[in-house]
Amino acid sequence: MSSEKIRIFDTTLRDGEQSPGCSMTLDEKVTLARQIEKLGVDIIEAGFPAASDGDFESVRTVAEKIRRPSIAGLCRTRPGDLEAAAKALEVAAKPRIHTFIATSDIHMEYKLRMTRERVLEEVDRAVRQACGYVEDVEFSAEDATRSDWDFLVEVFSTAVAAGASTLNVPDTVGYTTPAEYGKLITHLRENVEGADKAIFSVHCHNDLGLAVANSLAAVNAGARQVECTVNGIGERAGNAAVEEVVMAIKTRSEVLGNVHTDVNTEEIYPSSRLLSTVVGVPVQPNKAIVGENAFAHEAGIHQDGVLKKAITYEIMTPQSIGRPSNELVLGKHSGRHAFQDRLKELGFQLEKKELEQAFARFKTLADKKKVIYNGDLEAIVSDEILRTDDRFKLGNLVIISGTFATATATVELFDGEQRLKTSCSGDGPVDAVFKAIKELTQTESKLLAYEVKAVTEGMDAQGDVSVKLLQGERSVIGQGAHTDIIVASGKAYVRALNKLEWHKKKHSLIEPKGI
Ligand code: KIV
Ligand code: ZN
């Protein structure tokens, strides 16, 4: 029996971006999209064009630059949303319009205030409108797993008749279980009129920790597209993680109905690292596949077994997901090539000028630190390269603090070309620096979280500071690394402000969480 393909639909740039603090700027989205294209997914959902000017521009730019996978734009069934999606995707090599409406009684009654008949009309009209723009149309029944099964059959039959070729069955609130979800997919495949003309897709949230298990149960029941995100980021507890879905399919294809994906699994680790660096959200150490401990054998018996034969305790190899085999990497004598190679392994494809910039920064750091680890390299790139559209730039910084002195910071900051400078005192040096930056940038935001950790081991380690800010509905995370943690704190704060500036400039037309 020949193996059947499971399409991988990556929604890191859309559902993933809906995780608190994970908002991305245009440049960040394009950087990630390039890596996700390398990962070999079939479809990249680049955003929700009607949501904001920023989202529209992101979908359009990703569609312009990323040519191999299909590029999807999400939209409600409203005519204006569909128009915006079609316009943003005009330039795409393979455009897909993804339209959705809620179908559960709870959502229809309390959120949409629509009857079932009205929802069916919306589905029909929206899918027909979408088909007028592009050939490839996906329809999602939001909150499908809490919807009446007979009504769902009607909804999907209407969508197919109107021209949808992919039918997505989202577990929007992460409510279902593998057995129930498998049965639902089977029921739909058996009862939707024209089911054989469409591909059934699944989109699972992880509220009960079942997103991947549910997705795989659906594959067993005949679903042929899985929607997921890198590192499993997404609304609330997140989405099914692409690395887990793909490696489960690769490792246990025989129990999943002899299926495969076209994902280049060696790009999994670089994709995970890049996302974590871009959004500033660390990967938990015990995270399956990409966590720091995923391939670490601590118990003596396990170590002994692995040394004798890796298969005793290893069901897949670190190489198969593109994990560099040695952590200790470079020093001050390392050349450009070694530097560039290691950056590639971590998911960074830099242009010539960026590479020169990063290499110069690496050499300066290597003079201060004996060994440079992967974490240091990620910090360099995240600090210097992934921020071309920043409005504010931190200049010099002088701090006075200690047990006898009131902490005072003198901060130099550039607002575009304009050089600004001020001094502030505060409750400790970090507070003083933040106050000075706030005064210079004249910004209003709430500090939600502040965290410092060492990037690597050793007394000479860089401090990695993460700052989470809230402005209105939008929360962002900024990161900064430096051997001086006060400087790292200033950088992280300025970075978070720059992200807020970008989103303000691209002014949200609907609430970011309004889907
Ligand atoms: O979770 C969900 O229902 C969604 C849809 C818009 C596909 O993200
Ligand atoms: Zn979702």
Side-chain angles (χ1 to χ4, degrees):
M1 197 175 75
S2 72
S3 160
E4 269 193 66
K5 173 169 162 162
I6 303 297
R7 287 153 190 80
I8 298 294
F9 176 114
D10 183 280
T11 182
T12 308
L13 302 182
R14 198 279 298 171
D15 216 329
E17 207 211 6
Q18 286 172 227
S19 344
C22 288
S23 317
M24 297 171 222
T25 64
L26 174 62
D27 283 347
E28 290 172 338
K29 281 195 173 181
V30 171
T31 304
L32 263 170
R34 285 194 208 286
Q35 176 58 34
I36 295 171
E37 178 180 39
K38 259 180 106 187
L39 181 61
V41 306
D42 301 280
I43 302 110
I44 293 179
E45 185 162 62
F48 186 166
S52 69
D53 296 346
D55 250 51
F56 180 91
E57 196 181 339
S58 304
V59 175
R60 198 174 171 86
T61 311
V62 169
E64 222 164 49
K65 295 187 189 284
I66 308 295
R67 310 305 287 176
R68 194 200 48 75
S70 300
I71 305 297
L74 182 70
C75 49
R76 293 168 292 190
T77 52
R78 300 180 188 185
D81 273 33
L82 286 147
E83 255 171 61
K87 217 164 180 335
L89 292 169
E90 256 168 13
V91 287
K94 295 185 216 162
R96 170 179 292 195
I97 292 184
H98 177 192
T99 185
F100 75 99
I101 192 163
T103 53
S104 64
D105 288 335
I106 302 170
H107 276 232
M108 289 188 294
E109 182 178 344
Y110 298 108
K111 187 182 83 172
L112 297 176
R113 298 189 197 287
M114 284 186 193
T115 60
R116 289 187 177 190
E117 290 66 36
R118 175 75 203 287
V119 166
L120 286 172
E121 279 165 24
E122 284 286 308
V123 173
D124 181 62
R125 193 193 35 71
V127 173
R128 284 182 197 281
Q129 186 183 341
C131 290
Y133 300 125
V134 296
E135 271 175 27
D136 185 1
V137 174
E138 169 168 341
F139 169 74
S140 283
E142 192 191 9
D143 205 18
T145 51
R146 292 192 299 168
S147 302
D148 176 76
W149 285 23
D150 291 335
F151 180 55
L152 263 189
V153 167
E154 270 190 82
V155 166
F156 283 126
S157 303
T158 305
V160 178
S165 48
T166 303
L167 303 177
N168 187 34
V169 189
D171 184 24
T172 304
V173 291
Y175 179 70
T176 196
T177 63
E180 181 187 60
Y181 200 42
K183 272 191 208 143
L184 174 59
I185 300 297
T186 303
H187 179 78
L188 294 173
R189 289 186 63 220
E190 284 171 357
N191 293 288
V192 168
E193 274 173 54
D196 53 322
K197 288 193 244 142
I199 285 174
F200 280 88
S201 165
V202 289
H203 174 113
C204 297
H205 281 270
N206 207 27
D207 300 67
L208 293 173
L210 293 172
V212 173
N214 288 335
S215 304
L216 296 177
V219 165
N220 246 335
R224 288 294 174 260
Q225 174 177 288
V226 178
E227 303 197 350
C228 35
T229 59
V230 176
N231 295 345
I233 65 167
E235 278 278 357
R236 306 180 310 279
N239 289 63
V242 64
E243 59 276 9
E244 297 177 24
V245 169
V246 166
M247 290 312 285
I249 290 176
K250 187 173 163 117
T251 311
R252 300 307 314 275
S253 167
E254 79 286 2
V255 295
L256 293 169
N258 192 21
V259 289
H260 70 276
T261 72
D262 282 348
V263 166
N264 176 7
T265 61
E266 288 176 11
E267 292 296 336
I268 284 180
Y269 190 71
S271 305
S272 164
R273 294 310 316 153
L274 181 66
L275 174 71
S276 172
T277 309
V278 164
V279 294
V281 176
V283 174
Q284 78 194 56
N286 61 329
K287 165 85 181 59
I289 319 290
V290 290
E292 198 182 322
N293 300 343
F295 292 89
H297 302 278
E298 186 83 6
I301 296 175
H302 289 207
Q303 288 175 352
D304 180 52
V306 170
L307 286 174
K308 285 178 176 146
K309 192 86 180 159
I311 200 174
T312 49
Y313 287 100
E314 253 178 31
I315 57 167
M316 54 201 157
T317 63
Q319 293 79 9
S320 66
I321 62 151
R323 222 182 153 115
S325 45
N326 57 336
E327 163 60 30
L328 188 68
V329 278
L330 307 169
K332 70 185 204 182
H333 300 298
S334 306
R336 250 186 205 72
H337 273 301
F339 177 72
Q340 191 176 9
D341 284 352
R342 185 45 56 113
L343 285 184
K344 269 197 198 140
E345 286 177 353
L346 295 170
F348 302 114
Q349 305 165 67
L350 304 189
E351 316 243 314
K352 201 161 179 285
K353 195 166 143 237
E354 293 173 333
L355 185 69
E356 287 311 314
Q357 227 174 300
F359 189 64
R361 180 78 199 269
F362 159 73
K363 283 288 179 186
T364 313
L365 186 64
D367 276 339
K368 289 195 201 153
K369 285 184 91 222
K370 269 204 245 26
V371 284
I372 305 288
Y373 297 86
N374 291 342
D376 290 313
L377 296 182
E378 286 169 351
I380 289 175
V381 179
S382 129
D383 229 27
E384 290 293 322
I385 310 301
L386 296 171
R387 47 198 57 186
T388 47
D389 47 16
D390 284 357
R391 171 176 168 189
F392 304 119
K393 194 165 171 21
L394 189 66
N396 289 310
L397 195 68
V398 178
I399 303 291
I400 299 168
S401 86
T403 45
F404 279 134
T406 304
T408 312
T410 301
V411 174
E412 177 193 43
L413 185 133
F414 295 88
D415 181 352
E417 297 292 302
Q418 200 187 356
R419 179 175 172 272
L420 307 166
K421 198 173 151 194
T422 194
S423 297
C424 284
S425 52
D427 190 10
V430 174
D431 187 44
V433 169
F434 285 7
K435 277 190 178 139
I437 293 173
K438 205 166 174 177
E439 187 184 305
L440 293 176
T441 54
Q442 294 179 5
T443 47
E444 275 312 320
S445 54
K446 190 168 165 213
L447 181 66
L448 290 184
Y450 169 84
E451 235 181 274
V452 194
K453 64 176 172 42
V455 175
T456 60
E457 59 196 58
M459 293 293 282
D460 59 357
Q462 294 194 88
D464 184 9
V465 175
S466 167
V467 166
K468 188 168 183 181
L469 297 182
L470 178 74
Q471 195 169 55
E473 282 283 310
R474 172 92 54 193
S475 64
V476 295
I477 295 173
Q479 271 185 305
H482 199 274
T483 44
D484 179 328
I485 59 162
I486 307 300
V487 177
S489 303
K491 285 179 162 214
Y493 192 65
V494 170
R495 177 62 185 146
L497 288 178
N498 277 319
K499 284 192 172 185
L500 285 175
E501 275 302 302
W502 189 86
H503 288 290
K504 217 161 62 193
K505 206 167 69 197
K506 299 296 167 183
H507 135 96
S508 222
L509 302 177
I510 64 170
E511 294 297 302
K513 294 193 195 95
I515 298 179

